[in-house]
């Protein structure tokens, strides 16, 4: 053990943090920490190996995520006191569609209370626009990466027929898998993924992911991945397939086998994740966040989905915005929450979508109509309801989408209003998209953000997607 003055000072600070942590725990919580330490020692192979044991936890915006992190920190510091060494903890902060300022502030308070920033055994990462980098209150992804993420996200909305439940539904798991794969393989890699996601939910997610892979590969069921690490890699590649929908498909690959990632389920060890008490107060989570939602680790924000659903109700179904948004909000939250009023919801949600993807409300409404598919079947309806001043330009809009000469301002208007490039709009217009892509879009479009089956809405999907079940499969 290195006894430099700096290390001695840090050791003293960590002891104080541990004492403060344990002082804010009740007897049952402290017992859970002891069980957690024993479990991690066994999995690592004993005290002599605990210093080389690398773990990852997905950290969301809910109370359970904060409490799990507190238990892990208490176990990490306790093992260091007892065995002069401890496990490495990699924390991936993620949220779909993105991290808003209130969530980041809550994370900062939690991380500060646990003194995570200056411990070399702790690595804080943040997912942003599909990219993983060091945790920061500033954007992680570069502007061109955010532009690519916005384009892929909006394109998927058009592919799925414009339904918000598709745009902000099961597809989010592919995006989550993409950043999880990056976090698992960064640096020296990870030995174990720590989770308190209930067993039934884990099995459901694994089965759904394997079903998505089976739909677009030629792998026999027995050849499909069983491990979380390999599955995350496969789903990451499906995410890329969607992002590059107009590109020539490349065979799905699998990295050379390494040490198999362990999934360590801790829900049987930690019995008090729903009753934080004083510990919640220490972490700044006694009031909770206004968006604790379905899905593992509170990783999904319901406000943007409620906003997109309200716009869909207003412009497509010609109903009241509030009725549509409120119904969507109440469907996905886990407990009764105060309902944001009127413009407050729209403003908050739109700010989050703008910050996450750079997507404007005009572009959201455009993808809700999905006006370019099937030779522009809904283009006239879109223009009449949302851009009536452009009715005179309808013939030119069709000419632009058909690849025929038309005025430059018409093309620029189409690109601005949709967030897509001209080649993508023309492919949607002509239905010139791979049938295999339709299979994947159809599968994703059947499940909401909690992976619950959505009501059939085949008529909302473009014809190429509805016929995807008859398509062939590309090689894997």
């Amino acid at each position: 053990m290195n006894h430099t003055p700096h290390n001695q000072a840090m050791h003293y600070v960590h002891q104080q943090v541990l004492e403060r942590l344990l002082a804010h725990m009740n007897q049952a919580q402290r017992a859970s920490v002891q069980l957690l330490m024993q479990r991690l020692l066994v999995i690592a192979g004993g005290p002599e190996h605990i210093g080389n044991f690398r773990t990852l936890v997905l950290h969301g915006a809910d109370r359970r995520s904060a409490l799990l992190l507190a238990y892990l920190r208490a176990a990490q510091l306790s093992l260091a006191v007892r065995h002069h060494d401890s496990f490495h903890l990699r924390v991936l902060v993620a949220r779909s569609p993105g991290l808003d300022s209130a969530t980041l502030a809550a994370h900062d308070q939690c991380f500060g209370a646990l003194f995570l920033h200056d411990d070399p055994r702790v690595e804080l990462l943040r997912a942003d626009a599909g990219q993983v980098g060091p945790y920061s209150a500033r954007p992680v992804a570069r502007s061109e990466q955010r532009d690519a993420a916005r384009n892929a996200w909006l394109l998927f909305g058009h592919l799925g027929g414009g339904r918000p439940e598709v745009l902000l539904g099961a597809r989010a798991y592919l995006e989550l898998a993409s950043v999880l794969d990056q976090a698992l393989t960064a640096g020296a890699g990870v030995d174990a993924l720590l989770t308190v996601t209930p067993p039934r939910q884990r099995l459901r997610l694994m089965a759904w992911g394997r079903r998505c892979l089976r739909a677009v590969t030629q792998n026999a069921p027995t050849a499909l991945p069983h491990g979380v690490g390999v599955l995350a890699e496969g789903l990451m590649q499906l995410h890329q397939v969607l992002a590059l929908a107009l590109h020539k498909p490349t065979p799905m690959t699998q990295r050379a086998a390494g040490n198999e990632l362990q999934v360590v389920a801790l829900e049987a060890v930690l019995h008090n994740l729903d009753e934080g008490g004083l510990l919640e107060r220490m972490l700044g989570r006694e009031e909770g966040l206004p968006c604790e939602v379905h899905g593992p680790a509170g990783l999904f924000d319901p406000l943007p989905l409620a906003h997109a659903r309200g716009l869909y109700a207003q412009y497509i179904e010609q109903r009241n915005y509030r009725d549509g948004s409120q119904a969507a909000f109440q469907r996905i939250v886990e407990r009764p929450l105060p309902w944001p009023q009127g413009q407050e919801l729209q403003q908050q949600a739109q700010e989050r979508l703008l910050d996450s993807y750079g997507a404007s409300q005009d572009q959201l409404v455009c993808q809700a109509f999905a006006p370019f598919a099937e030779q522009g079947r809904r283009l006239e309806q879109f223009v009449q309801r949302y851009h009536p001043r452009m009715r005179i330009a309808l013939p030119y809009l069709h000419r632009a989408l058909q690849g025929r000469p038309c005025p430059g301002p018409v093309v620029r208007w189409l690109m601005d209003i949709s967030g897509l490039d001209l080649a993508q709009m023309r492919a949607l217009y002509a239905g010139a998209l791979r049938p295999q892509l339709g299979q994947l879009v159809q599968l994703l479009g059947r499940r909401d953000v909690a992976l619950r089956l959505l009501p059939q809405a085949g008529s909302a999907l473009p014809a190429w997607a509805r016929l995807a079940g008859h398509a062939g499969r590309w090689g894997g």
Side-chain angles (χ1 to χ4, degrees), residues 373-417:
E374 300 178 61
Q375 288 75 52
R377 181 170 62 90
R378 298 169 76 175
L379 182 58
E380 183 176 357
Q381 183 186 64
F382 168 58
V383 170
Q384 286 181 342
R385 290 188 186 176
Y386 197 66
H387 293 283
R389 293 182 180 180
M390 289 295 292
R391 282 180 296 188
I392 193 172
L394 263 172
Y396 292 107
L397 297 178
H398 280 281
R399 287 175 66 91
L401 294 168
Q402 291 164 356
R404 299 161 61 192
C406 68
V410 171
V411 174
R412 287 195 294 272
W413 183 85
L414 282 169
M415 294 174 66
D416 290 342
I417 208 68

Side-chain angles (χ1 to χ4, degrees), residues 37-53 79 83 85-87:
M37 292 165 58
Q38 294 171 18
R39 181 79 184 276
L40 293 175
L41 282 170
V42 169
I43 296 169
E48 64 274 18
H49 299 292
I50 193 66
N52 296 318
F53 187 51
L79 287 168
H83 301 291
D85 212 347
S86 195
F87 62 93

Side-chain angles (χ1 to χ4, degrees), residues 10 57 134 154 157 175 182 210 349 422 443:
M10 292 305 296
V57 63
L154 289 170
E175 191 167 330
Q182 294 176 54
R210 285 164 53 80
L422 192 57
L443 265 177

Side-chain angles (χ1 to χ4, degrees), residues 56 93 148 213 248 251 295 300 321 360 453-454 457:
L56 171 70
V93 177
L213 287 174
K248 182 179 179 180
F300 304 109
Y321 170 90
S360 68
L453 196 64
L454 288 167

